[in-house]
Amino acid sequence: MRKMNLHEGIPARLVLMGCALVMLASADLRSAALMSGMVLLTTLLSSVTLSAISKFIPKGARLPAGVLVITGFVSLLDMLAQAFFPVSANMLGVHLAALAASPVLFWVGEGAEDQGEALAVRTALTTALFLAAATMVCALIREPLGCATIWGHPIGFLENVKIPILADTFGGYLVLAVVVAILNAVTAGKKEAAK
């Protein structure tokens, strides 16, 4: 996999790599906040761990080691989420555990093996915070307009004008497509300004 530089207009690609996470978690702000926290903690913990142990792992065993480390942290954080945030964890259901198969985590983990701890932490933070922002933006659009609620509390004046399809899978992809289009436009504008 080609190494991606976060300053090369990658934001839209990052959202597409994590589109399943963004789409699944963005129907409700509570689940979006939990998934964002899980992505942040998992990328940070796995990046630091893989960066620290990469010297001791043979090249041929890096992928299995990465899978083991990422899956271990996702399992640990899944159990903590079930214990401390049961409502949000139940909203996400099995998708919380499916975070272990996210291409974003493997991309960050793969990069961490070749970087020092400081650079691995910076890359993990940048990636996770960007995905968290995209997830929260999608949730801020989908929950009020699709369910007429915010953080699970009803918004009376939106009840008669809500668009239920935005709370469904199709609505998730629709909102995500709009967010990616805006990101592409912003990234293209910055590239033109830099020239």
Side-chain angles (χ1 to χ4, degrees), residues 125-180:
L125 268 174
T126 306
T127 304
L129 289 174
F130 180 79
L131 270 178
T135 305
M136 296 301 282
V137 165
C138 288
L140 280 168
I141 296 168
R142 291 181 68 197
E143 185 181 3
L145 297 180
C147 302
T149 60
I150 193 84
W151 204 264
H153 300 292
I155 304 172
F157 70 92
L158 287 178
E159 187 61 42
N160 293 329
V161 294
K162 69 180 180 183
I163 308 163
I165 197 166
L166 289 179
D168 293 338
T169 306
F170 174 76
Y173 283 116
L174 182 66
V175 171
L176 184 62
V178 170
V179 169
V180 169

mmCIF file of all heavy atoms in Angstrom, residues 125-180:
data_model
loop_
_atom_site.group_PDB
_atom_site.id
_atom_site.type_symbol
_atom_site.label_atom_id
_atom_site.label_comp_id
_atom_site.label_asym_id
_atom_site.label_seq_id
_atom_site.Cartn_x
_atom_site.Cartn_y
_atom_site.Cartn_z
ATOM 1 N N LEU A 125 -3.062 10.850 15.881
ATOM 2 C CA LEU A 125 -3.941 11.923 16.353
ATOM 3 C C LEU A 125 -4.594 12.664 15.196
ATOM 4 O O LEU A 125 -5.798 12.909 15.204
ATOM 5 C CB LEU A 125 -3.139 12.921 17.194
ATOM 6 C CG LEU A 125 -3.102 12.676 18.685
ATOM 7 C CD1 LEU A 125 -2.157 13.652 19.361
ATOM 8 C CD2 LEU A 125 -4.475 12.751 19.302
ATOM 9 N N THR A 126 -3.799 13.019 14.191
ATOM 10 C CA THR A 126 -4.335 13.745 13.042
ATOM 11 C C THR A 126 -5.417 12.934 12.336
ATOM 12 O O THR A 126 -6.496 13.444 12.027
ATOM 13 C CB THR A 126 -3.203 14.074 12.040
ATOM 14 O OG1 THR A 126 -2.172 14.766 12.732
ATOM 15 C CG2 THR A 126 -3.704 14.927 10.904
ATOM 16 N N THR A 127 -5.118 11.660 12.103
ATOM 17 C CA THR A 127 -6.072 10.789 11.410
ATOM 18 C C THR A 127 -7.349 10.611 12.217
ATOM 19 O O THR A 127 -8.457 10.763 11.702
ATOM 20 C CB THR A 127 -5.424 9.415 11.142
ATOM 21 O OG1 THR A 127 -4.221 9.612 10.412
ATOM 22 C CG2 THR A 127 -6.358 8.506 10.369
ATOM 23 N N ALA A 128 -7.193 10.271 13.498
ATOM 24 C CA ALA A 128 -8.362 9.997 14.343
ATOM 25 C C ALA A 128 -9.209 11.247 14.547
ATOM 26 O O ALA A 128 -10.447 11.176 14.502
ATOM 27 C CB ALA A 128 -7.913 9.431 15.680
ATOM 28 N N LEU A 129 -8.579 12.385 14.754
ATOM 29 C CA LEU A 129 -9.344 13.617 14.961
ATOM 30 C C LEU A 129 -10.081 14.031 13.691
ATOM 31 O O LEU A 129 -11.209 14.525 13.745
ATOM 32 C CB LEU A 129 -8.433 14.745 15.448
ATOM 33 C CG LEU A 129 -7.935 14.586 16.882
ATOM 34 C CD1 LEU A 129 -6.927 15.670 17.222
ATOM 35 C CD2 LEU A 129 -9.081 14.581 17.874
ATOM 36 N N PHE A 130 -9.454 13.805 12.544
ATOM 37 C CA PHE A 130 -10.125 14.126 11.288
ATOM 38 C C PHE A 130 -11.357 13.235 11.088
ATOM 39 O O PHE A 130 -12.432 13.724 10.740
ATOM 40 C CB PHE A 130 -9.170 13.983 10.101
ATOM 41 C CG PHE A 130 -9.845 14.316 8.824
ATOM 42 C CD1 PHE A 130 -10.040 15.628 8.460
ATOM 43 C CD2 PHE A 130 -10.364 13.319 8.022
ATOM 44 C CE1 PHE A 130 -10.720 15.946 7.298
ATOM 45 C CE2 PHE A 130 -11.043 13.625 6.863
ATOM 46 C CZ PHE A 130 -11.218 14.939 6.498
ATOM 47 N N LEU A 131 -11.188 11.924 11.322
ATOM 48 C CA LEU A 131 -12.337 11.009 11.178
ATOM 49 C C LEU A 131 -13.418 11.323 12.202
ATOM 50 O O LEU A 131 -14.611 11.238 11.896
ATOM 51 C CB LEU A 131 -11.883 9.556 11.326
ATOM 52 C CG LEU A 131 -11.467 8.883 10.043
ATOM 53 C CD1 LEU A 131 -11.003 7.465 10.314
ATOM 54 C CD2 LEU A 131 -12.561 8.877 9.018
ATOM 55 N N ALA A 132 -12.997 11.696 13.422
ATOM 56 C CA ALA A 132 -13.971 12.062 14.455
ATOM 57 C C ALA A 132 -14.762 13.290 14.018
ATOM 58 O O ALA A 132 -15.986 13.333 14.171
ATOM 59 C CB ALA A 132 -13.264 12.323 15.782
ATOM 60 N N ALA A 133 -14.071 14.271 13.454
ATOM 61 C CA ALA A 133 -14.759 15.477 12.986
ATOM 62 C C ALA A 133 -15.752 15.142 11.875
ATOM 63 O O ALA A 133 -16.885 15.623 11.880
ATOM 64 C CB ALA A 133 -13.733 16.506 12.502
ATOM 65 N N ALA A 134 -15.330 14.307 10.920
ATOM 66 C CA ALA A 134 -16.237 13.916 9.826
ATOM 67 C C ALA A 134 -17.452 13.174 10.366
ATOM 68 O O ALA A 134 -18.590 13.413 9.935
ATOM 69 C CB ALA A 134 -15.491 13.053 8.811
ATOM 70 N N THR A 135 -17.230 12.273 11.333
ATOM 71 C CA THR A 135 -18.335 11.509 11.920
ATOM 72 C C THR A 135 -19.307 12.429 12.653
ATOM 73 O O THR A 135 -20.523 12.302 12.512
ATOM 74 C CB THR A 135 -17.794 10.434 12.894
ATOM 75 O OG1 THR A 135 -16.861 9.614 12.202
ATOM 76 C CG2 THR A 135 -18.900 9.567 13.447
ATOM 77 N N MET A 136 -18.768 13.364 13.435
ATOM 78 C CA MET A 136 -19.629 14.264 14.197
ATOM 79 C C MET A 136 -20.402 15.219 13.273
ATOM 80 O O MET A 136 -21.572 15.514 13.523
ATOM 81 C CB MET A 136 -18.803 15.056 15.224
ATOM 82 C CG MET A 136 -18.168 14.188 16.296
ATOM 83 S SD MET A 136 -19.342 13.219 17.268
ATOM 84 C CE MET A 136 -19.974 14.464 18.362
ATOM 85 N N VAL A 137 -19.757 15.694 12.197
ATOM 86 C CA VAL A 137 -20.451 16.569 11.244
ATOM 87 C C VAL A 137 -21.620 15.806 10.603
ATOM 88 O O VAL A 137 -22.739 16.329 10.498
ATOM 89 C CB VAL A 137 -19.475 17.109 10.170
ATOM 90 C CG1 VAL A 137 -20.223 17.697 8.993
ATOM 91 C CG2 VAL A 137 -18.536 18.132 10.779
ATOM 92 N N CYS A 138 -21.350 14.565 10.179
ATOM 93 C CA CYS A 138 -22.435 13.758 9.591
ATOM 94 C C CYS A 138 -23.556 13.527 10.596
ATOM 95 O O CYS A 138 -24.741 13.598 10.250
ATOM 96 C CB CYS A 138 -21.886 12.424 9.088
ATOM 97 S SG CYS A 138 -20.882 12.558 7.601
ATOM 98 N N ALA A 139 -23.194 13.261 11.864
ATOM 99 C CA ALA A 139 -24.213 13.030 12.899
ATOM 100 C C ALA A 139 -25.016 14.291 13.175
ATOM 101 O O ALA A 139 -26.228 14.222 13.418
ATOM 102 C CB ALA A 139 -23.552 12.526 14.182
ATOM 103 N N LEU A 140 -24.347 15.451 13.142
ATOM 104 C CA LEU A 140 -25.055 16.713 13.370
ATOM 105 C C LEU A 140 -26.043 17.037 12.255
ATOM 106 O O LEU A 140 -26.975 17.820 12.440
ATOM 107 C CB LEU A 140 -24.052 17.863 13.521
ATOM 108 C CG LEU A 140 -23.395 17.977 14.892
ATOM 109 C CD1 LEU A 140 -22.216 18.937 14.852
ATOM 110 C CD2 LEU A 140 -24.408 18.396 15.941
ATOM 111 N N ILE A 141 -25.845 16.445 11.094
ATOM 112 C CA ILE A 141 -26.798 16.609 9.991
ATOM 113 C C ILE A 141 -27.880 15.536 10.072
ATOM 114 O O ILE A 141 -29.078 15.821 9.993
ATOM 115 C CB ILE A 141 -26.079 16.532 8.626
ATOM 116 C CG1 ILE A 141 -25.093 17.690 8.481
ATOM 117 C CG2 ILE A 141 -27.081 16.509 7.474
ATOM 118 C CD1 ILE A 141 -24.135 17.559 7.315
ATOM 119 N N ARG A 142 -27.445 14.276 10.266
ATOM 120 C CA ARG A 142 -28.387 13.156 10.181
ATOM 121 C C ARG A 142 -29.356 13.065 11.351
ATOM 122 O O ARG A 142 -30.545 12.809 11.150
ATOM 123 C CB ARG A 142 -27.616 11.841 10.069
ATOM 124 C CG ARG A 142 -26.898 11.673 8.754
ATOM 125 C CD ARG A 142 -26.182 10.349 8.697
ATOM 126 N NE ARG A 142 -27.120 9.242 8.661
ATOM 127 C CZ ARG A 142 -26.783 7.981 8.929
ATOM 128 N NH1 ARG A 142 -25.534 7.677 9.235
ATOM 129 N NH2 ARG A 142 -27.690 7.041 8.868
ATOM 130 N N GLU A 143 -28.873 13.235 12.595
ATOM 131 C CA GLU A 143 -29.783 13.046 13.727
ATOM 132 C C GLU A 143 -30.883 14.107 13.788
ATOM 133 O O GLU A 143 -32.066 13.752 13.843
ATOM 134 C CB GLU A 143 -29.021 12.985 15.055
ATOM 135 C CG GLU A 143 -29.960 12.659 16.208
ATOM 136 C CD GLU A 143 -29.297 12.610 17.566
ATOM 137 O OE1 GLU A 143 -28.087 12.881 17.671
ATOM 138 O OE2 GLU A 143 -30.000 12.296 18.538
ATOM 139 N N PRO A 144 -30.559 15.411 13.740
ATOM 140 C CA PRO A 144 -31.657 16.385 13.802
ATOM 141 C C PRO A 144 -32.589 16.333 12.594
ATOM 142 O O PRO A 144 -33.802 16.379 12.743
ATOM 143 C CB PRO A 144 -30.936 17.743 13.855
ATOM 144 C CG PRO A 144 -29.548 17.447 14.267
ATOM 145 C CD PRO A 144 -29.248 16.069 13.772
ATOM 146 N N LEU A 145 -32.010 16.216 11.391
ATOM 147 C CA LEU A 145 -32.861 16.239 10.189
ATOM 148 C C LEU A 145 -33.544 14.902 9.912
ATOM 149 O O LEU A 145 -34.600 14.867 9.303
ATOM 150 C CB LEU A 145 -32.036 16.667 8.973
ATOM 151 C CG LEU A 145 -31.448 18.076 9.026
ATOM 152 C CD1 LEU A 145 -30.649 18.372 7.769
ATOM 153 C CD2 LEU A 145 -32.537 19.118 9.236
ATOM 154 N N GLY A 146 -32.948 13.799 10.344
ATOM 155 C CA GLY A 146 -33.530 12.486 10.075
ATOM 156 C C GLY A 146 -34.421 11.963 11.182
ATOM 157 O O GLY A 146 -35.385 11.247 10.923
ATOM 158 N N CYS A 147 -34.097 12.310 12.450
ATOM 159 C CA CYS A 147 -34.865 11.778 13.590
ATOM 160 C C CYS A 147 -35.570 12.859 14.408
ATOM 161 O O CYS A 147 -36.336 12.538 15.314
ATOM 162 C CB CYS A 147 -33.941 11.009 14.529
ATOM 163 S SG CYS A 147 -33.063 9.656 13.748
ATOM 164 N N ALA A 148 -35.271 14.127 14.139
ATOM 165 C CA ALA A 148 -35.804 15.254 14.914
ATOM 166 C C ALA A 148 -35.412 15.142 16.376
ATOM 167 O O ALA A 148 -36.195 15.428 17.279
ATOM 168 C CB ALA A 148 -37.319 15.373 14.751
ATOM 169 N N THR A 149 -34.164 14.684 16.610
ATOM 170 C CA THR A 149 -33.626 14.611 17.969
ATOM 171 C C THR A 149 -32.194 15.144 17.954
ATOM 172 O O THR A 149 -31.573 15.242 16.902
ATOM 173 C CB THR A 149 -33.601 13.159 18.497
ATOM 174 O OG1 THR A 149 -32.781 12.359 17.641
ATOM 175 C CG2 THR A 149 -34.986 12.568 18.598
ATOM 176 N N ILE A 150 -31.685 15.452 19.157
ATOM 177 C CA ILE A 150 -30.277 15.794 19.312
ATOM 178 C C ILE A 150 -29.832 15.156 20.628
ATOM 179 O O ILE A 150 -30.437 15.374 21.663
ATOM 180 C CB ILE A 150 -30.023 17.323 19.279
ATOM 181 C CG1 ILE A 150 -28.549 17.652 19.132
ATOM 182 C CG2 ILE A 150 -30.568 18.028 20.465
ATOM 183 C CD1 ILE A 150 -28.051 17.637 17.738
ATOM 184 N N TRP A 151 -28.818 14.310 20.537
ATOM 185 C CA TRP A 151 -28.325 13.534 21.684
ATOM 186 C C TRP A 151 -29.465 12.738 22.313
ATOM 187 O O TRP A 151 -29.545 12.541 23.518
ATOM 188 C CB TRP A 151 -27.646 14.445 22.702
ATOM 189 C CG TRP A 151 -26.657 13.735 23.561
ATOM 190 C CD1 TRP A 151 -26.877 13.223 24.816
ATOM 191 C CD2 TRP A 151 -25.291 13.439 23.261
ATOM 192 N NE1 TRP A 151 -25.735 12.630 25.296
ATOM 193 C CE2 TRP A 151 -24.747 12.758 24.367
ATOM 194 C CE3 TRP A 151 -24.485 13.682 22.157
ATOM 195 C CZ2 TRP A 151 -23.431 12.318 24.401
ATOM 196 C CZ3 TRP A 151 -23.175 13.247 22.194
ATOM 197 C CH2 TRP A 151 -22.662 12.575 23.310
ATOM 198 N N GLY A 152 -30.407 12.302 21.486
ATOM 199 C CA GLY A 152 -31.529 11.497 21.952
ATOM 200 C C GLY A 152 -32.712 12.292 22.468
ATOM 201 O O GLY A 152 -33.766 11.723 22.779
ATOM 202 N N HIS A 153 -32.598 13.614 22.568
ATOM 203 C CA HIS A 153 -33.692 14.457 23.063
ATOM 204 C C HIS A 153 -34.473 15.020 21.877
ATOM 205 O O HIS A 153 -33.887 15.530 20.926
ATOM 206 C CB HIS A 153 -33.140 15.610 23.915
ATOM 207 C CG HIS A 153 -32.368 15.154 25.108
ATOM 208 N ND1 HIS A 153 -32.950 14.519 26.184
ATOM 209 C CD2 HIS A 153 -31.040 15.216 25.374
ATOM 210 C CE1 HIS A 153 -32.021 14.221 27.075
ATOM 211 N NE2 HIS A 153 -30.845 14.623 26.599
ATOM 212 N N PRO A 154 -35.811 14.941 21.941
ATOM 213 C CA PRO A 154 -36.630 15.406 20.814
ATOM 214 C C PRO A 154 -36.507 16.909 20.561
ATOM 215 O O PRO A 154 -36.359 17.687 21.488
ATOM 216 C CB PRO A 154 -38.061 15.056 21.229
ATOM 217 C CG PRO A 154 -37.988 14.355 22.517
ATOM 218 C CD PRO A 154 -36.602 14.404 23.035
ATOM 219 N N ILE A 155 -36.575 17.270 19.293
ATOM 220 C CA ILE A 155 -36.619 18.681 18.881
ATOM 221 C C ILE A 155 -37.998 18.880 18.256
ATOM 222 O O ILE A 155 -38.242 18.469 17.120
ATOM 223 C CB ILE A 155 -35.518 19.006 17.855
ATOM 224 C CG1 ILE A 155 -34.145 18.643 18.400
ATOM 225 C CG2 ILE A 155 -35.561 20.481 17.475
ATOM 226 C CD1 ILE A 155 -33.034 18.758 17.384
ATOM 227 N N GLY A 156 -38.879 19.500 19.019
ATOM 228 C CA GLY A 156 -40.281 19.609 18.625
ATOM 229 C C GLY A 156 -40.520 20.240 17.269
ATOM 230 O O GLY A 156 -41.290 19.732 16.454
ATOM 231 N N PHE A 157 -39.859 21.353 16.986
ATOM 232 C CA PHE A 157 -40.154 22.085 15.746
ATOM 233 C C PHE A 157 -39.664 21.350 14.495
ATOM 234 O O PHE A 157 -40.088 21.676 13.388
ATOM 235 C CB PHE A 157 -39.601 23.515 15.794
ATOM 236 C CG PHE A 157 -38.102 23.608 15.740
ATOM 237 C CD1 PHE A 157 -37.444 23.741 14.527
ATOM 238 C CD2 PHE A 157 -37.355 23.574 16.911
ATOM 239 C CE1 PHE A 157 -36.065 23.839 14.475
ATOM 240 C CE2 PHE A 157 -35.972 23.675 16.865
ATOM 241 C CZ PHE A 157 -35.320 23.809 15.646
ATOM 242 N N LEU A 158 -38.795 20.345 14.648
ATOM 243 C CA LEU A 158 -38.329 19.575 13.488
ATOM 244 C C LEU A 158 -39.166 18.320 13.231
ATOM 245 O O LEU A 158 -38.988 17.657 12.217
ATOM 246 C CB LEU A 158 -36.863 19.166 13.671
ATOM 247 C CG LEU A 158 -35.816 20.260 13.530
ATOM 248 C CD1 LEU A 158 -34.432 19.707 13.778
ATOM 249 C CD2 LEU A 158 -35.884 20.894 12.142
ATOM 250 N N GLU A 159 -40.063 18.010 14.168
ATOM 251 C CA GLU A 159 -40.822 16.761 14.067
ATOM 252 C C GLU A 159 -41.620 16.668 12.766
ATOM 253 O O GLU A 159 -41.674 15.611 12.139
ATOM 254 C CB GLU A 159 -41.763 16.625 15.276
ATOM 255 C CG GLU A 159 -42.465 15.297 15.368
ATOM 256 C CD GLU A 159 -41.508 14.115 15.499
ATOM 257 O OE1 GLU A 159 -40.525 14.199 16.247
ATOM 258 O OE2 GLU A 159 -41.760 13.078 14.832
ATOM 259 N N ASN A 160 -42.236 17.747 12.331
ATOM 260 C CA ASN A 160 -43.073 17.714 11.129
ATOM 261 C C ASN A 160 -42.293 17.837 9.830
ATOM 262 O O ASN A 160 -42.851 17.624 8.758
ATOM 263 C CB ASN A 160 -44.130 18.834 11.198
ATOM 264 C CG ASN A 160 -45.127 18.578 12.304
ATOM 265 O OD1 ASN A 160 -45.420 17.436 12.637
ATOM 266 N ND2 ASN A 160 -45.619 19.649 12.900
ATOM 267 N N VAL A 161 -41.014 18.208 9.922
ATOM 268 C CA VAL A 161 -40.226 18.392 8.699
ATOM 269 C C VAL A 161 -39.047 17.420 8.605
ATOM 270 O O VAL A 161 -38.201 17.557 7.731
ATOM 271 C CB VAL A 161 -39.709 19.852 8.580
ATOM 272 C CG1 VAL A 161 -40.861 20.803 8.387
ATOM 273 C CG2 VAL A 161 -38.862 20.238 9.769
ATOM 274 N N LYS A 162 -38.991 16.451 9.499
ATOM 275 C CA LYS A 162 -37.852 15.524 9.469
ATOM 276 C C LYS A 162 -37.882 14.674 8.197
ATOM 277 O O LYS A 162 -38.938 14.441 7.604
ATOM 278 C CB LYS A 162 -37.819 14.644 10.717
ATOM 279 C CG LYS A 162 -38.920 13.627 10.820
ATOM 280 C CD LYS A 162 -38.773 12.829 12.109
ATOM 281 C CE LYS A 162 -39.888 11.807 12.226
ATOM 282 N NZ LYS A 162 -39.829 11.067 13.483
ATOM 283 N N ILE A 163 -36.703 14.213 7.802
ATOM 284 C CA ILE A 163 -36.539 13.409 6.585
ATOM 285 C C ILE A 163 -36.033 12.034 7.031
ATOM 286 O O ILE A 163 -34.810 11.834 7.171
ATOM 287 C CB ILE A 163 -35.536 14.082 5.620
ATOM 288 C CG1 ILE A 163 -35.930 15.538 5.386
ATOM 289 C CG2 ILE A 163 -35.435 13.315 4.312
ATOM 290 C CD1 ILE A 163 -34.833 16.386 4.806
ATOM 291 N N PRO A 164 -36.928 11.084 7.292
ATOM 292 C CA PRO A 164 -36.531 9.800 7.883
ATOM 293 C C PRO A 164 -35.456 9.036 7.104
ATOM 294 O O PRO A 164 -34.680 8.287 7.697
ATOM 295 C CB PRO A 164 -37.840 9.007 7.927
ATOM 296 C CG PRO A 164 -38.914 10.031 7.895
ATOM 297 C CD PRO A 164 -38.363 11.181 7.105
ATOM 298 N N ILE A 165 -35.386 9.256 5.795
ATOM 299 C CA ILE A 165 -34.395 8.520 5.004
ATOM 300 C C ILE A 165 -32.961 8.880 5.418
ATOM 301 O O ILE A 165 -32.041 8.076 5.266
ATOM 302 C CB ILE A 165 -34.614 8.744 3.494
ATOM 303 C CG1 ILE A 165 -33.885 7.672 2.694
ATOM 304 C CG2 ILE A 165 -34.158 10.132 3.079
ATOM 305 C CD1 ILE A 165 -34.287 7.584 1.264
ATOM 306 N N LEU A 166 -32.759 10.073 5.988
ATOM 307 C CA LEU A 166 -31.420 10.471 6.432
ATOM 308 C C LEU A 166 -30.930 9.620 7.602
ATOM 309 O O LEU A 166 -29.730 9.500 7.819
ATOM 310 C CB LEU A 166 -31.387 11.951 6.816
ATOM 311 C CG LEU A 166 -31.497 12.951 5.674
ATOM 312 C CD1 LEU A 166 -31.478 14.371 6.208
ATOM 313 C CD2 LEU A 166 -30.394 12.742 4.653
ATOM 314 N N ALA A 167 -31.846 9.033 8.350
ATOM 315 C CA ALA A 167 -31.454 8.181 9.466
ATOM 316 C C ALA A 167 -31.147 6.755 9.012
ATOM 317 O O ALA A 167 -30.596 5.964 9.772
ATOM 318 C CB ALA A 167 -32.557 8.153 10.521
ATOM 319 N N ASP A 168 -31.490 6.427 7.763
ATOM 320 C CA ASP A 168 -31.241 5.081 7.237
ATOM 321 C C ASP A 168 -29.865 5.000 6.582
ATOM 322 O O ASP A 168 -29.150 5.982 6.468
ATOM 323 C CB ASP A 168 -32.324 4.716 6.216
ATOM 324 C CG ASP A 168 -33.689 4.565 6.855
ATOM 325 O OD1 ASP A 168 -33.745 4.331 8.072
ATOM 326 O OD2 ASP A 168 -34.692 4.704 6.130
ATOM 327 N N THR A 169 -29.541 3.794 6.098
ATOM 328 C CA THR A 169 -28.248 3.564 5.454
ATOM 329 C C THR A 169 -28.054 4.454 4.241
ATOM 330 O O THR A 169 -26.992 5.060 4.068
ATOM 331 C CB THR A 169 -28.136 2.078 5.039
ATOM 332 O OG1 THR A 169 -28.379 1.267 6.186
ATOM 333 C CG2 THR A 169 -26.774 1.768 4.488
ATOM 334 N N PHE A 170 -29.070 4.567 3.397
ATOM 335 C CA PHE A 170 -28.966 5.411 2.209
ATOM 336 C C PHE A 170 -28.665 6.853 2.602
ATOM 337 O O PHE A 170 -27.831 7.523 1.991
ATOM 338 C CB PHE A 170 -30.244 5.338 1.370
ATOM 339 C CG PHE A 170 -30.233 6.291 0.211
ATOM 340 C CD1 PHE A 170 -29.475 6.019 -0.919
ATOM 341 C CD2 PHE A 170 -30.954 7.482 0.265
ATOM 342 C CE1 PHE A 170 -29.444 6.915 -1.979
ATOM 343 C CE2 PHE A 170 -30.932 8.370 -0.789
ATOM 344 C CZ PHE A 170 -30.182 8.078 -1.924
ATOM 345 N N GLY A 171 -29.352 7.336 3.611
ATOM 346 C CA GLY A 171 -29.117 8.696 4.086
ATOM 347 C C GLY A 171 -27.706 8.884 4.605
ATOM 348 O O GLY A 171 -27.095 9.937 4.416
ATOM 349 N N GLY A 172 -27.174 7.841 5.248
ATOM 350 C CA GLY A 172 -25.791 7.904 5.727
ATOM 351 C C GLY A 172 -24.814 8.081 4.583
ATOM 352 O O GLY A 172 -23.904 8.916 4.649
ATOM 353 N N TYR A 173 -25.009 7.305 3.514
ATOM 354 C CA TYR A 173 -24.122 7.430 2.350
ATOM 355 C C TYR A 173 -24.328 8.761 1.632
ATOM 356 O O TYR A 173 -23.380 9.352 1.122
ATOM 357 C CB TYR A 173 -24.328 6.263 1.383
ATOM 358 C CG TYR A 173 -23.679 5.001 1.864
ATOM 359 C CD1 TYR A 173 -24.439 3.877 2.173
ATOM 360 C CD2 TYR A 173 -22.300 4.926 2.031
ATOM 361 C CE1 TYR A 173 -23.834 2.715 2.620
ATOM 362 C CE2 TYR A 173 -21.692 3.765 2.485
ATOM 363 C CZ TYR A 173 -22.461 2.667 2.777
ATOM 364 O OH TYR A 173 -21.865 1.521 3.226
ATOM 365 N N LEU A 174 -25.561 9.243 1.601
ATOM 366 C CA LEU A 174 -25.855 10.517 0.955
ATOM 367 C C LEU A 174 -25.151 11.669 1.673
ATOM 368 O O LEU A 174 -24.468 12.494 1.049
ATOM 369 C CB LEU A 174 -27.377 10.754 0.930
ATOM 370 C CG LEU A 174 -27.865 12.017 0.246
ATOM 371 C CD1 LEU A 174 -27.566 11.958 -1.246
ATOM 372 C CD2 LEU A 174 -29.355 12.181 0.483
ATOM 373 N N VAL A 175 -25.279 11.715 2.995
ATOM 374 C CA VAL A 175 -24.626 12.767 3.782
ATOM 375 C C VAL A 175 -23.113 12.638 3.670
ATOM 376 O O VAL A 175 -22.396 13.636 3.521
ATOM 377 C CB VAL A 175 -25.095 12.716 5.257
ATOM 378 C CG1 VAL A 175 -24.274 13.640 6.133
ATOM 379 C CG2 VAL A 175 -26.574 13.070 5.350
ATOM 380 N N LEU A 176 -22.614 11.418 3.716
ATOM 381 C CA LEU A 176 -21.174 11.188 3.584
ATOM 382 C C LEU A 176 -20.658 11.672 2.234
ATOM 383 O O LEU A 176 -19.594 12.291 2.150
ATOM 384 C CB LEU A 176 -20.862 9.701 3.768
ATOM 385 C CG LEU A 176 -19.393 9.310 3.754
ATOM 386 C CD1 LEU A 176 -18.635 9.957 4.895
ATOM 387 C CD2 LEU A 176 -19.263 7.793 3.837
ATOM 388 N N ALA A 177 -21.423 11.432 1.169
ATOM 389 C CA ALA A 177 -21.022 11.893 -0.169
ATOM 390 C C ALA A 177 -20.939 13.412 -0.223
ATOM 391 O O ALA A 177 -20.012 13.973 -0.827
ATOM 392 C CB ALA A 177 -22.010 11.376 -1.215
ATOM 393 N N VAL A 178 -21.878 14.093 0.420
ATOM 394 C CA VAL A 178 -21.852 15.556 0.446
ATOM 395 C C VAL A 178 -20.627 16.047 1.209
ATOM 396 O O VAL A 178 -19.918 16.960 0.768
ATOM 397 C CB VAL A 178 -23.159 16.120 1.068
ATOM 398 C CG1 VAL A 178 -23.053 17.609 1.318
ATOM 399 C CG2 VAL A 178 -24.347 15.805 0.171
ATOM 400 N N VAL A 179 -20.328 15.419 2.359
ATOM 401 C CA VAL A 179 -19.163 15.811 3.160
ATOM 402 C C VAL A 179 -17.874 15.587 2.369
ATOM 403 O O VAL A 179 -16.978 16.441 2.355
ATOM 404 C CB VAL A 179 -19.140 15.047 4.505
ATOM 405 C CG1 VAL A 179 -17.816 15.234 5.233
ATOM 406 C CG2 VAL A 179 -20.295 15.505 5.390
ATOM 407 N N VAL A 180 -17.759 14.447 1.678
ATOM 408 C CA VAL A 180 -16.567 14.160 0.868
ATOM 409 C C VAL A 180 -16.436 15.164 -0.272
ATOM 410 O O VAL A 180 -15.331 15.639 -0.577
ATOM 411 C CB VAL A 180 -16.597 12.709 0.336
ATOM 412 C CG1 VAL A 180 -15.520 12.476 -0.703
ATOM 413 C CG2 VAL A 180 -16.432 11.724 1.483
#
